[in-house]
Amino acid sequence: MLPLKIATRFLKSGKGQTALIVFGIAIAVSVQIFVGLLIIGLQLSLVNSTIGNQPQITIRPAGDNNTIKNWEIIVNQVRNVDGLDKISVTAAGNASVPDDNGILPILVQGFDFQSADRIYGISESIYQGKQIQSLKQVLIGRSLEEELEVEIGDKLPILTPDGGVNLFEIAGFYDLGIESINRSWVITNLVAAQRLFGYRDRVTEIIMTVDQDRLFDADRIAARIQQAVNSEDIEVTNWKDQNEELLSGLEGQSISSGVIQGVVLASVVVAISSVLSITVLQKSRQLGILKAMGITDRDASLIFVFQGLLIGLIGATVGIAMGLGLLYAFNTFTSSAEGTALIEIYIDYNFIIRSWVIAISSSTLAGLIPARRSLKLNPVDVIREG
Amino acid sequence: MITLELSGVNKIYSGAYQTQVLFDINLSFEAKTCSAIVGESGSGKSTLMNIMGILDTPTSGEVTIASNLVSRMNRKQMAEIRNRTIGFVFQFHYLLPEFTVLENVLIPHLIHNRSQSGQVLNRARNLLDIVGIAKLEKRLPTQISGGEQQRTAIARALMNNPSIILADEPTGNLDSVTTQNVCRLFGEIKKEFNTTFIVVTHDRTVASHTDRIVEVRDGRIISDKLNTKTVPETE
Ligand SMILES: Nc1ncnc2c1ncn2[C@@H]1O[C@H](COP(=O)(O)OP(=O)(O)OP(=O)(O)O)[C@@H](O)[C@H]1O
Ligand SMILES: [Mg+2]
């Protein structure tokens, strides 16, 4: 194709100029990639630390109910909802434990361990002792351990609101990374908790997680669950309802990231179209003779569009490589001595490909401005000049 | 058969001060003839040439090329006529410096064709051979002499086998020996390809090689006669 061929030759004939503009675009794109991925990583680690090892959707009893009956049926109804990942149940109840100065309020969490473990990662969080083996055992958190100054194997009396006292053996200590949980949750078996609070075979919550890449769809998935169950006895909540501040913070970040990327993109477009407009002047002799030889307006314009495309293609590709390199360097320099990263880096391929495509299409579009100028060029003027 | 005709052509440049450069020009050129347009500097020869080659539009009057009225054509049709029907040779060679000699010759073909076949490549090489610079095909225009550049431009003008060749001072910056060569070349090409030649020239030698000499002064044709000094070619 002649326009492409001419575009390539024109770019090659001004190697220095071409290299400069390609480099300029590469820098712009690398900044865009660097900032964009950094913010994505930041957001993800924020979201993860807030809701990562937690259920993102919860079904609770509604109205006068304190517990959910027929929960097995509900679990089966929602199991196949699109976007839902893990599902488990818990029977929880308020209780207290005695300490030196009186009593401490606690929350007894009776888990169906097999499935709950996959949501909370309880087993991995046990730093001393063992997983629960019997209905008479509990796990307590790091803060509570420090408060009560207890040891593995000690007996822990749990006082229920109805005045009962039940002795449990401390099987292990966990650290789930969240102070409020570590302080208040006393984890036991589902059946043990059901017996302790007289729930019979009912549960207090059905807890669920969504697919990793659907975190921000939690509200929609929750709505679908509500629909699937279609009962007034339950209500479905999701993490977005309870984390409005986090969400607006994330949105603010996204907007500022968008603004940065928009500015970078705009400068790419301006740079390319102004450089290519200079090319129209530089190559007016060639354009004039091509027109005299009968090149069509369309093909003459395509020369500049292709120049924009080629510059964008190389610039964007180099820029992405540079941006990733920058990110890697940043990650290395800001990591602690033990190698923990300051900001967890997440290589978002969608974002990278999107940025690549946008950079290339805008530089191609930038070629349209000089292309239009080239149409105004009159071959007679060129031929007269000599 | 008439390939190119101008009737009542006027050209007025309107700018800071209006100047009329061509006055009511009526001219027609028979197919397969070779005509010279002579005249003093500033008499309007190039203007006339550019109008004939539809690079420029007359202020009034009509141009007809190969039975097509130029005023009825859109930009695309004009481009096509420039590409297929007309071959230009300018006083200054106007080769594309980014392309080799061979590629320059191929460009008129590539303007209307996506790619070149082996046959087309052979034609381009053959044309370079005719103009005597086959050995220079891989050079860039900056790496050959002025005469060689002019010959490349001639080969290029012939590439699409146009029915009309318009040459504006083709030998303007060539020495007399090279000028002789170019003239001989035009004669050979005319015989071989049946092309109509219209040559603007200052040069008496060049003019003497043609069948007809049209003289322009101050935008008017003051004489138009057959050149009796040349032996008329048999067709
Ligand atoms: N764009 C323009 N605006 C105004 N006047 C012009 C323009 N182009 C050419 N002219 C004038 O038109 C006249 C004819 O110019 P043209 O180039 O046709 O002459 P020419 O016969 O080719 O001369 P030469 O032999 O020197 O090439 C000149 O007087 C020139 O100054
Ligand atoms: Mg002239």
Side-chain angles (χ1 to χ4, degrees), chain A residues 384, chain B residues 40-47 49-50 91 168-169 200 202:
Chain A
R384 278 197 178 280
Chain B
E40 284 168 13
S41 179
S43 55
K45 306 182 297 293
S46 293
T47 308
M49 204 65 162
N50 291 336
Q91 180 169 1
D168 191 351
E169 311 271 12
V200 166
H202 275 116

Side-chain angles (χ1 to χ4, degrees), chain A residues 1-2 5-6 9-10 13 283 285-299 375-380 382-386, chain B residues 13 46-47 50 55-56 75-76 78-80 82-83 88 90 92-100 103-104 107-108 110-111 113-114 116 156:
Chain A
M1 244 193 122
L2 190 64
K5 198 167 173 176
I6 297 173
R9 291 292 168 91
F10 278 7
S13 74
K283 305 291 183 191
R285 206 181 145 95
Q286 286 88 327
L287 278 172
I289 194 66
L290 283 165
K291 285 186 173 197
M293 287 193 293
I295 198 166
T296 56
D297 287 347
R298 183 176 152 273
D299 281 359
L375 292 186
K376 298 204 186 90
L377 193 131
N378 190 346
V380 177
V382 175
I383 282 144
R384 278 197 178 280
E385 275 157 23
Chain B
Y13 283 113
S46 293
T47 308
N50 291 336
L55 290 172
D56 206 349
R75 277 171 77 100
K76 200 172 172 192
M78 287 188 193
E80 190 166 320
R82 285 204 291 265
N83 182 241
F88 289 103
F90 300 103
F92 305 97
H93 54 83
Y94 291 112
L95 299 175
L96 301 181
E98 296 87 358
F99 290 82
T100 64
E103 286 169 334
N104 265 285
I107 279 176
L110 291 176
I111 281 175
N113 261 349
R114 275 174 183 277
Q116 75 230 10
R156 181 180 67 183

Side-chain angles (χ1 to χ4, degrees), chain A residues 59-68 204 226 231-236:
Chain A
I59 299 179
R60 292 204 175 85
D64 298 335
N65 303 301
N66 301 321
T67 51
I68 305 168
T204 55
Q226 183 87 59
S231 154
E232 309 232 309
D233 293 339
I234 56 127
E235 66 168 351
V236 185

